[in-house]
Amino acid sequence: MFAQAKLEQALEDELAACIPLFASMRCTVAAHPKAASLGPQSHAVTTWVDKIQALPQGSAALYHDLTLLYAQLRAQIGVSLTHRSNHLTLVVPADQLPYLQAKTSGYESALSLFQEFVPEVVIVTVPRLNDQQSQPCVLLLCTSEVCGPVGYTVLEQQVRLKPTELSEGYRFQLIIPEHRLVIVNPEQMAVLTGI
């Protein structure tokens, strides 16, 4: 279990490095249409933190961003994402999750609204996930029996524990072998930047 968590953490770093490859498959957050009523600083209301703090309907604006991401992925794949063989995963940087969970002015949180829209979506948080400009982004991945996985991991050897001898007993060192992340179906991955 611990070995799997360490391997996943290493792969998260590699996944973040793949973001520039998907520039043509991204959905960018734009300024919210109602931001004009907020005055001269309204042009800055594009990030999730800005939307949650400045807009009374901030959680609805974040939900709109997620539905745009969903629409982008559906257009890329060209099939319905609601088919029972499709499995969706939303990958969110840990520091952005509180904005998805925030409720504003009588609106439910963007995350709960999105989970009502796509009940089967699995939410995965990662320590960080940045685009080419080092800004946080979100991924929506689709795996299915028909399309297959987005990608897979290649390990050069098995993950193993190596015992190290100490005066008071044994300790173990976790050995994670050389590995790489291979993206075989990039069209099954949509990136939301500008969050």
Side-chain angles (χ1 to χ4, degrees):
M1 193 77 111
F2 180 70
Q4 181 68 27
K6 281 295 192 186
L7 182 59
E8 286 175 2
Q9 184 177 1
L11 291 172
E12 287 166 6
D13 293 339
E14 288 186 40
L15 184 60
C18 293
I19 297 299
L21 302 174
F22 308 113
S24 64
M25 299 174 203
R26 71 173 184 229
C27 178
T28 305
V29 174
H32 193 275
K34 296 196 178 187
S37 64
L38 298 174
Q41 299 296 328
S42 63
H43 66 279
V45 183
T46 58
T47 66
W48 283 1
V49 65
D50 292 335
K51 289 179 181 181
I52 289 296
Q53 291 176 353
L55 299 173
Q57 71 284 7
S59 57
L62 268 60
Y63 169 69
H64 181 259
D65 293 343
L66 293 177
T67 58
L68 288 176
L69 181 65
Y70 178 89
Q72 174 68 30
L73 183 61
R74 183 169 187 235
Q76 286 172 199
I77 294 177
V79 297
S80 172
L81 297 179
T82 57
H83 189 273
R84 65 179 180 86
S85 72
N86 290 331
H87 304 285
L88 296 176
T89 304
L90 183 67
V91 184
V92 181
D95 64 343
Q96 297 295 310
L97 188 62
Y99 307 124
L100 283 178
Q101 295 172 325
K103 297 179 181 180
T104 56
S105 294
Y107 290 92
E108 287 296 316
S109 72
L111 188 58
S112 64
L113 290 170
F114 191 66
Q115 287 175 316
E116 284 180 30
F117 177 60
V118 187
E120 305 83 23
V121 69
V122 174
I123 311 300
V124 175
T125 58
V126 294
R128 69 182 186 282
L129 190 59
N130 295 332
D131 62 15
Q132 287 176 300
Q133 289 77 36
S134 297
Q135 297 301 310
C137 59
V138 174
L139 299 177
L140 186 60
L141 313 172
C142 178
T143 60
S144 73
E145 297 165 9
V146 176
C147 300
V150 175
Y152 58 90
T153 306
V154 176
L155 295 172
E156 299 299 323
Q157 301 171 357
Q158 294 290 333
V159 174
R160 60 188 173 89
L161 292 174
K162 176 183 171 186
T164 57
E165 204 170 321
L166 296 173
S167 59
E168 62 269 352
Y170 285 96
R171 294 191 76 168
F172 294 91
Q173 179 183 12
L174 178 65
I175 307 294
I176 297 179
E178 193 72 29
H179 58 278
R180 65 184 184 275
L181 182 63
V182 179
I183 305 292
V184 291
N185 295 314
E187 68 279 357
Q188 292 172 221
M189 170 191 249
V191 182
L192 178 66
T193 59
I195 64 168

